[in-house]
Structure formats: structure tokens, C-alpha cells
Amino acid sequence: MNTTPEPHHDRETLPRHLGIIMDGNGRWAQQRGMERIEGHARGMEVARTIVTYLARRHIPYVTLYAFSTENWNRDAAEVAFLNLALKSYLEEEIPIMMENNIRFRAIGTIDRFSSELVRLIREAEERSASNTGTTLVLAISYGGQQEVVDSVRNIGNKLLQGHMKLEDISIQTLLEHCYFPELGECDYIVRTSGEMRLSNFLTFQSAYSELYFTPTLWPDFTETEMAAALEDFTRRTRRFGK
């Protein structure tokens, strides 16, 4: 049962595209004398709660930073667990997404994962494709700088093949060649755990993002704090340099 008040803001005052850097799982576990993987398991549960809440608030696009390209360099056991956790999350999440009219997409270098996990990702995308509510985008094996590189490569190929002219290239062109062009720019980025950096998240799309940092570790993040973050966004004036 939802106990969090949901203010009735005009949807135009809420972000169209919200990005969340879910940070602090490992520290949360260590503070409690647990293995880091316990923090990741709890973090998955929180992700489900927050995404469902945002779907009720009718946020069109929510991008969760779940696994970065740099995360592959972590301890092998932790990486293995993160892969298993992603598999478990998708298996459990598909019915919940369908129940809440949530569409699912994944962005990143997905082919680095096991064939079984890639199959689950594609299945979740296909089964939820006709859903019309919030689009949940999971950034996994994702790096913002790599996305820019891949976008430039795609444009370069079109130039070489004569399908595009140099003068055709613009900011919009780069956005249109990102992993999921429909996302467009990111309006608002929320990061938990007290760290104040973007950590290679939505590097190109975040040029004019509003930022919200909270010391709360992700496993302790609640609907109430998410509501407060959205409320903070509605009070901001976005000038875009004007």
C-alpha cells in the first residue's frame, strides 16, 4: 500500500527524463557488517519500489544507472553477483512492469553479458514494448563517454557511405545516434550516498541537467525522499544559459 503523499503537480513541471545514480549499496552493507553483495540485493528491492512510485507519478522516462563499464573492474565475485542480481531482477520485474504498464529498455554494451542475460533483456524489452506508461531504462555495462564515441562512429559511417553531409551534423544529430535516441536530454539527475559527481552517466544528455545530491545511501532511499527530490525540481527555474 502506498503511504507517500503524491502532490498534484502539473506534469509539465515534473522532469520528462529523470536519471538516478543508485550509489551506496556496498557502504550500506559494510556499515552493517554484511557482505557488499547484500547491499546490492537490497538496492534491487529499492529500485523496484522507486520505479513503481515514479510510474504512479507519470514520469515519462526513468534511467537507472545499474552497472557501469568501470564496474567490470571490481572484484570478480562481486561482478558475478551483480550479473546474477540483474538476471534475478529481470525475471521478477517483468510481471511487475506489465502490471504497472511500464515499458523496459536497456542501454550500454549489452553484448558483454552472458547470452542468457542478453536473452532476458531482449525478452523484457519485447514483452513490454506496447506498454504506454513510464519507460524504465536500465543503464548496464554503460559508460557515457563510450556512448558518445559509439554515436560519433555511427555518424562517421554514414558520412563515409554518403548518407549524411558534414553540415548536417548538429547536437540533435548526436542525440539521435545515442543508444536510445527517444530519451533525448536528461532533465534531472538524482544521486544518492553523498557523492557529488556524475561518474560517466549520460555524459552528453546531461549538459543542462538539474542535479540533486542526497547523503542517503541507496538501500535507505524511500518514496518520501523521492517525492522531496521531485518537489525540489518543481521549484527550480531552468534558464539554459539565457
Side-chain angles (χ1 to χ4, degrees):
M1 179 181 296
N2 174 43
T3 58
T4 304
E6 297 181 14
H8 297 287
H9 292 296
D10 186 308
R11 291 185 191 177
E12 291 184 2
T13 68
L14 292 172
R16 171 187 173 274
H17 177 196
L18 167 67
I20 304 179
I21 302 174
M22 307 179 293
D23 196 19
N25 292 331
R27 275 170 283 168
W28 182 88
Q30 290 172 335
Q31 288 174 6
R32 289 160 177 77
M34 302 175 179
E35 295 291 329
R36 286 175 58 87
I37 60 176
E38 296 294 331
H40 294 305
R42 169 63 181 163
M44 292 291 184
E45 296 175 11
V46 173
R48 178 178 299 113
T49 298
I50 296 300
V51 169
T52 304
Y53 169 73
L54 292 169
R56 294 199 306 269
R57 295 297 302 273
H58 306 289
I59 305 298
Y61 297 90
V62 177
T63 301
L64 301 183
Y65 202 11
F67 191 96
S68 72
T69 50
E70 291 75 23
N71 286 158
W72 289 106
N73 298 318
R74 289 187 177 183
D75 177 78
E78 185 174 355
V79 171
F81 175 82
L82 285 169
N83 277 268
L84 285 173
L86 281 170
K87 178 178 178 291
S88 176
Y89 175 81
L90 286 170
E91 288 173 336
E92 296 174 8
E93 200 66 18
I94 291 174
I96 295 172
M97 288 188 289
M98 299 306 293
E99 180 182 340
N100 289 277
N101 195 29
I102 294 170
R103 183 173 60 142
F104 175 79
R105 289 294 299 264
I107 58 173
T109 51
I110 311 298
D111 56 359
R112 292 190 65 176
F113 292 108
S114 68
S115 58
E116 184 180 12
L117 183 52
V118 171
R119 178 187 60 77
L120 271 173
I121 290 168
R122 300 310 178 204
E123 179 185 344
E125 290 179 332
E126 290 171 12
R127 285 187 59 183
S128 66
S130 60
N131 290 346
T132 58
T134 293
T135 296
L136 166 61
V137 180
L138 210 58
I140 47 178
S141 188
Y142 173 85
Q145 291 178 327
Q146 186 61 50
E147 182 177 28
V148 173
V149 169
D150 290 342
S151 175
V152 171
R153 284 175 176 165
N154 289 336
I155 292 170
N157 282 332
K158 289 185 178 180
L159 287 170
L160 290 172
Q161 294 168 11
H163 299 316
M164 182 182 291
K165 297 179 181 178
L166 191 61
E167 55 268 28
D168 294 334
I169 300 174
S170 64
I171 292 172
Q172 187 60 35
T173 308
L174 280 167
L175 283 170
E176 289 170 356
H177 287 80
C178 286
Y179 294 144
F180 185 30
E182 189 179 314
L183 274 179
E185 297 184 74
C186 187
D187 300 302
Y188 198 30
I189 294 178
V190 172
R191 180 170 187 152
T192 59
S193 89
E195 303 293 347
M196 297 186 183
R197 58 181 180 271
L198 296 182
S199 297
N200 203 16
F201 179 56
L202 298 176
T203 303
F204 190 66
Q205 298 93 330
S206 65
Y208 273 100
S209 297
E210 295 291 322
L211 307 177
Y212 181 93
F213 300 108
T214 171
T216 303
L217 301 177
W218 178 250
D220 289 328
F221 196 71
T222 64
E223 291 183 13
T224 300
E225 186 155 3
M226 188 72 256
L230 292 176
E231 182 68 26
D232 186 85
F233 180 83
T234 67
R235 294 194 295 267
R236 300 192 186 190
T237 302
R238 306 185 72 199
R239 299 184 179 86
F240 299 97
K242 296 178 182 176

